[in-house]
Amino acid sequence: MTTTHPVITLNNGVAMPTLGLGVFQSPPEATAAAVRTALETGYRHVDTAAAYFNEREVGEGLRRSGIDRDGVFLETKVWINDYGYDATRHAFEKSAAKLGVETIDLLILHQPMPSRFDLTLDSYRGLESLLAEGKVRAIGVSNFMPEHLERLLAETDVVPAVNQIEVHPYFRQQDVLEANAKHGIVSQAWSPIGGITFYPGWGEDRRSTLDDPTIREIAERHGKTPAQALLRWHLDQGRQVIPKSTNPARIAENLDVFDFSLTESELAAIDGLDTGRRGGPDPESITIAAHGAEIPEA
Ligand code: A2P
């Protein structure tokens, strides 16, 4: 696979670009254009999910870019309504067909379902079977807390390649980062520039990471934007990142982070902004009753 920027080697030897395009909350009508723009700009990784309901448009963007499918790392996620061994195997078929591909580079469980962890484990065993058959090149999880990881590792065979979790300066999850590292699992940061701290309509008391004086000062020192400084903070600490944007200028801006790095004291200053306050749902609370959504057939 050719990439225009660095790759991280997963625990099964598969190479994954260190930075990809996120499409959570990208409206379907904007997604194909964003993916095409990103690929033309040099991105080689796109992260989507069955529950984002835009896999079809991600595939469309890939085809419109004219870039060879083998040159692009595609990641998607199985939603909780499709948990269970057979259902997860079928979820792969649905996602692959919507994306318009034969194989998926990284397929992960979108959430733990702590109240039905048996079903979560069966799902993961479904992922293991897809991996053994070569239908996916790597498997992993998302939003798994250390206790979920411990149980998964005790009861299944393949160590997840990736755990995708909420990480931004206001919510760092040091305990999860350490658990991932201990097991050789790549920490993949969702909402890496802290978009969740300023999504519209998410409450009056939210403050944006991009307006944070500490982050602004560090960015200015490097002649970079706050978003770029934050992406660099992740990369310098070994995390994979998937900033979301549908705006061509910001898509380009977010990839332009491979010509500088932060100092130890700058990294520590950003680490120090942690509020311990989660933006996304508590993984312990995930149930089909509260969060269920049918994933349509392809
Ligand atoms: P937009 O799609 O209009 O660019 P995150 O991935 O951390 O959740 O951040 C996503 C949010 O941040 C989106 O609202 C996105 O809006 C915005 N965003 C993405 N890149 C940048 C950037 N470089 N500067 C400012 N805002 C950005």
Side-chain angles (χ1 to χ4, degrees), residues 226-237:
Q228 290 171 324
L230 288 183
L231 293 170
R232 202 58 243 177
W233 169 69
H234 290 285
L235 296 171
D236 285 341
Q237 294 186 341

Side-chain angles (χ1 to χ4, degrees), residues 254-277:
N254 293 344
L255 189 66
D256 183 17
V257 293
F258 295 104
D259 58 354
F260 76 114
S261 55
L262 304 187
T263 65
E264 287 300 326
S265 67
E266 289 168 339
L267 296 173
I270 299 177
D271 286 353
L273 300 174
D274 195 3
T275 65
R277 184 176 164 201

Side-chain angles (χ1 to χ4, degrees), residues 143-165:
N143 300 306
F144 271 47
M145 300 295 100
E147 62 272 24
H148 307 134
L149 281 181
E150 290 301 333
R151 196 161 162 207
L152 182 83
L153 292 167
E155 300 193 39
T156 60
D157 295 327
V158 177
V159 177
V162 161
N163 185 13
Q164 182 182 126
I165 56 170

Side-chain angles (χ1 to χ4, degrees), residues 179-242:
N180 289 344
K182 180 172 137 199
H183 297 295
I185 300 168
V186 166
S187 293
Q188 181 175 43
W190 67 252
S191 208
I193 65 176
I196 196 159
T197 65
F198 55 87
Y199 288 157
W202 280 49
E204 298 277 299
D205 61 338
R206 292 192 166 261
R207 57 192 174 114
S208 164
T209 49
L210 300 185
D211 294 332
D212 191 290
T214 302
I215 295 165
R216 294 190 79 94
E217 193 201 311
I218 291 170
E220 272 165 34
R221 217 179 286 152
H222 291 274
K224 291 285 183 178
T225 66
Q228 290 171 324
L230 288 183
L231 293 170
R232 202 58 243 177
W233 169 69
H234 290 285
L235 296 171
D236 285 341
Q237 294 186 341
R239 290 185 288 281
Q240 205 273 354
V241 285
I242 42 165

Side-chain angles (χ1 to χ4, degrees), residues 78-81 83 109-117 119-120 142-145 148 190 278 280-293:
V78 180
W79 189 239
I80 53 174
N81 288 61
Y83 278 12
L109 299 187
H110 203 143
Q111 296 281 356
M113 244 203 313
S115 61
R116 289 300 315 274
F117 209 72
L119 206 59
T120 310
S142 181
N143 300 306
F144 271 47
M145 300 295 100
H148 307 134
W190 67 252
R278 186 187 288 289
D282 182 348
E284 276 305 316
S285 74
I286 302 294
T287 59
I288 290 187
H291 302 94

